[in-house]
Amino acid sequence: MDYLQAGGPTLLGSNYEPVNQKVWEVVKESGPVTGLFHPYEMKLAEKIHECMPWVEMYRCLASGTEADMVAIRIARTYTGKQRIVKVGGAYHGWSDQLVYSLHIPYTKTFEAHGIPKEVSENTSEFFPGDVAGLRKVLEENEKAGGTAAVIIEPFGPESGTRPVAKDFAAKVRELCDEFHTLLIFDEVVTAFRVGPGGAQGYFNVKPDLTVFGKIVAGGYPMAGGVGGSEEIMSCIAAGVKAGKKKAYVGGTLTANPLSCAAGYFAIDEIIRQDAAMKAGENGDKLCDGIQKLIDKYELPFVTWNTGSIVHFEVSGVMYLSAADPDVFKKIPERQQYIEEFGAALTANGVITLAGSRIYTSMADNDETIAETLNAFEEVFSNIER
Ligand SMILES: Cc1ncc(COP(=O)(O)O)c(C=O)c1O
């Protein structure tokens, strides 16, 4: 039972044949790559625009990591400011500047070895959901030339592992306007998964730039992209082009026919099949079932979901505070609990994201959910209290 679902993109289910067929037709005709533009690049961009009208222009890239890198580069070019603000603990790919304070807020360069210290000098953070804290950071940054962008996942960092208030994204938007800072939504997981309009449609909050990943190639390789208004996106340039400020972006294999066709057909099918709704209902059922088992076995665990993104916490490793002097001792211990829990689920046939997250898909059904809950029960009933 695969609930990792490649980290989220396969909302239609694993290896979805109707999309595979269509992708194969395109590859048979064009080959997997040409290095030129391809009609499916345009079709994919138009499809994304149809779902998220604030994405007026779209640039294909190779991964979510690249798309996050490009988004902050565009923000700096457009605003002429240097500083970037992220949520402490958030994951926005593994690029030099964004691996700062990964997973646990204010752990700074704990997971950023092999990177020169000065690379993090322009990155600041605030606690998840802490709007007043963000204001303070933005005020502080004003003294150092201002903030180019605030980057958030609108449902909270790590796909909502640390949930935020419903008006969080709107409040961040207001602050960005006040401080003339661009707002970047990282929708690598939420785009199309929480509904056709992504998190921006759900909250009805306009980002200046949207970052896409995995799902824009339907789970096929070379999956990433960034989009926004024509004015802001026009900062991107590749090749030799004099006369204006440009954010340099490249990538030989980006926008290849295979990835673009796969993304186009997958998103088209997700919308036609109402896959986000179906996967979300499966997430609700699974979460309800896990909660009943937590109650039955009186375990100190927590579960909640945002539709098809189901969370469960057994050791709270991501909730430790960097202010705790023993934090670096506690991390490996808590990490071990969660790894053992994830391994026990795997041994019972259920693959999750690191023992703490489940991505449901349209392909789950009452039978597979019942089977999954049996596996959870088997693990829960064997936990020593
Ligand atoms: C919110 C978020 N941003 C960025 C990334 C990085 O994407 P990629 O793995 O395609 O580089 C991920 C990956 O899981 C993610 O969850």
Side-chain angles (χ1 to χ4, degrees), residues 6-7 62-68 90-94 153 157-159 186-190 211-214 223-224 353 357 359:
S63 67
T65 298
E66 269 194 15
D68 278 314
Y91 182 65
H92 298 294
W94 51 274
E153 277 189 277
E158 299 273 356
S159 306
D186 183 334
E187 294 232 36
V188 166
V189 172
T190 49
V211 168
F212 299 90
K214 338 172 197 234
L353 194 157
R357 203 179 310 156
Y359 294 115

Side-chain angles (χ1 to χ4, degrees), residues 69 122 146 234 277:
M69 279 165 59
N122 283 308
S234 298
M277 180 64 84

Side-chain angles (χ1 to χ4, degrees), residues 166-280:
K166 207 168 176 187
D167 61 357
F168 172 68
K171 289 199 163 144
V172 177
R173 173 74 271 174
E174 279 170 23
L175 280 178
C176 285
D177 290 342
E178 185 182 331
F179 286 87
H180 305 289
T181 296
L182 296 197
L183 173 59
I184 303 171
F185 278 0
D186 183 334
E187 294 232 36
V188 166
V189 172
T190 49
F192 309 105
R193 183 165 272 281
V194 298
Q200 54 201 269
Y202 182 87
F203 292 115
N204 194 27
V205 173
K206 178 187 175 188
D208 296 299
L209 289 165
T210 303
V211 168
F212 299 90
K214 338 172 197 234
I215 205 156
V216 288
Y220 278 74
M222 305 304 287
V226 65
S229 70
E230 189 173 344
E231 186 186 329
I232 295 172
M233 288 295 289
S234 298
C235 290
I236 296 186
V240 181
K241 205 182 260 176
K244 69 177 178 105
K245 283 201 298 179
K246 59 182 182 179
Y248 192 87
V249 174
T252 308
L253 291 185
T254 56
N256 65 78
L258 167 64
S259 314
C260 293
Y264 170 77
F265 288 124
I267 294 169
D268 191 49
E269 188 71 358
I270 284 169
I271 288 152
R272 267 184 353 98
Q273 296 279 357
D274 206 3
M277 180 64 84
K278 290 176 187 163

Side-chain angles (χ1 to χ4, degrees), residues 67-85 147-151 180-184 208-209 226 232-233 235-236 245 247:
D68 278 314
M69 279 165 59
V70 170
I72 61 176
R73 188 171 291 178
I74 297 172
R76 284 181 171 140
T77 307
Y78 183 76
T79 62
K81 303 176 188 178
Q82 290 305 309
R83 300 200 64 80
I84 300 295
V85 182
T147 306
V150 176
I151 180 165
H180 305 289
T181 296
L182 296 197
L183 173 59
I184 303 171
D208 296 299
L209 289 165
V226 65
I232 295 172
M233 288 295 289
C235 290
I236 296 186
K245 283 201 298 179

